[in-house]
């Protein structure tokens, strides 16, 4: 085995190359991913505070709202819809399941596949959260009147 340093590798004590500050500013000011992540974290904290009194997080609210329709999605379908990885979704589902807010049922065609279904307690909690969400969303829209929240949400939904 050859432990020699490749000829084009910098010496181990060399200062790593730097990125010009103009590039840093370009990324800060133009990168959609960076901006979306920052905005998402701010909004998540805001809605976490909003739902705190009803013992709900914004992530749990989103997951539960996704289950309010007549469709009982497979966990993989739910993860895809929420743009979450399976492990994160499973952790969230387990938390809600322990609180008896949702239950997992076996698929009719394949017993190995599980589908998430809100319980009546889960549906009641979402119903309690919706007026809070509406009021906070209206407040957010009033703070940013130049932004059409619906149009922005549709735009972001199309990214990916």
């Amino acid at each position: 085995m050859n432990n020699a340093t490749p000829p084009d590798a910098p010496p181990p004590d060399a200062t790593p190359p730097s990125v010009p500050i103009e590039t840093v500013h370009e990324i800060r000011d133009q990168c959609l991913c960076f901006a979306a992540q920052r905005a998402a974290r701010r909004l998540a904290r805001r809605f976490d505070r909003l739902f705190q009194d009803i013992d709900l997080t914004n992530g749990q609210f989103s997951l539960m709202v996704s289950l309010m329709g007549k469709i009982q999605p497979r966990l993989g379908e739910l993860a895809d819809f929420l743009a979450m990885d399976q492990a994160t979704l499973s952790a969230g589902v387990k938390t809600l399941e322990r609180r008896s807010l949702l239950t997992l049922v076996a698929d009719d065609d394949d017993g190995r596949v599980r589908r998430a279904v809100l319980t009546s307690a889960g549906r009641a909690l979402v119903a309690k959260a919706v007026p809070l969400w509406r009021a906070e969303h209206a407040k957010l829209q009033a703070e940013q009147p130049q932004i059409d929240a619906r149009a922005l949400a549709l735009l972001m939904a199309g990214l990916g």
Side-chain angles (χ1 to χ4, degrees):
M1 182 172 203
N2 183 355
N3 288 332
T5 304
D8 59 345
D13 60 346
T15 303
S18 183
V19 174
I21 194 66
E22 296 81 14
T23 303
V24 172
H25 292 168
E26 175 189 6
I27 294 167
R28 178 197 66 196
D29 297 341
Q30 297 179 35
C31 179
L32 293 175
C33 187
F34 184 76
Q37 288 171 337
R38 289 181 70 207
R41 285 189 287 269
R42 286 182 177 138
L43 287 170
R45 283 192 299 271
R46 182 176 182 149
F47 282 89
D48 280 343
R49 285 189 303 272
L50 172 73
F51 294 136
Q52 188 174 9
D53 290 344
I54 61 170
D55 195 24
L56 194 63
T57 67
N58 79 84
Q60 292 167 338
F61 176 73
S62 297
L63 194 159
M64 293 171 68
V65 165
S66 300
L67 298 173
M68 287 295 289
K70 295 192 186 307
I71 297 173
Q72 297 174 351
R74 295 175 174 201
L75 291 183
E77 294 167 338
L78 185 57
D80 287 345
F81 176 74
L82 294 170
M84 297 174 81
D85 63 79
Q86 287 282 136
T88 303
L89 176 68
S90 291
V93 164
K94 285 180 184 175
T95 298
L96 295 174
E97 188 177 29
R98 278 192 301 271
R99 292 179 57 195
S100 300
L101 298 173
L102 69 74
T103 188
L104 295 174
V105 297
D107 182 80
D108 292 338
D109 299 325
D110 185 347
R112 298 170 298 174
V113 173
R114 298 180 307 158
R115 295 178 180 271
V117 180
L118 283 182
T119 62
S120 56
R123 289 182 175 279
L125 186 56
V126 171
K128 190 174 183 179
V130 166
L132 300 173
W133 174 86
R134 279 194 176 126
E136 192 67 19
H137 214 264
K139 214 185 300 183
L140 184 58
Q141 184 69 61
E143 292 167 10
Q144 302 292 329
Q146 75 282 9
I147 296 173
D148 179 345
R150 183 179 176 93
L152 181 57
L154 290 171
L155 175 69
M156 290 189 309
L159 296 175

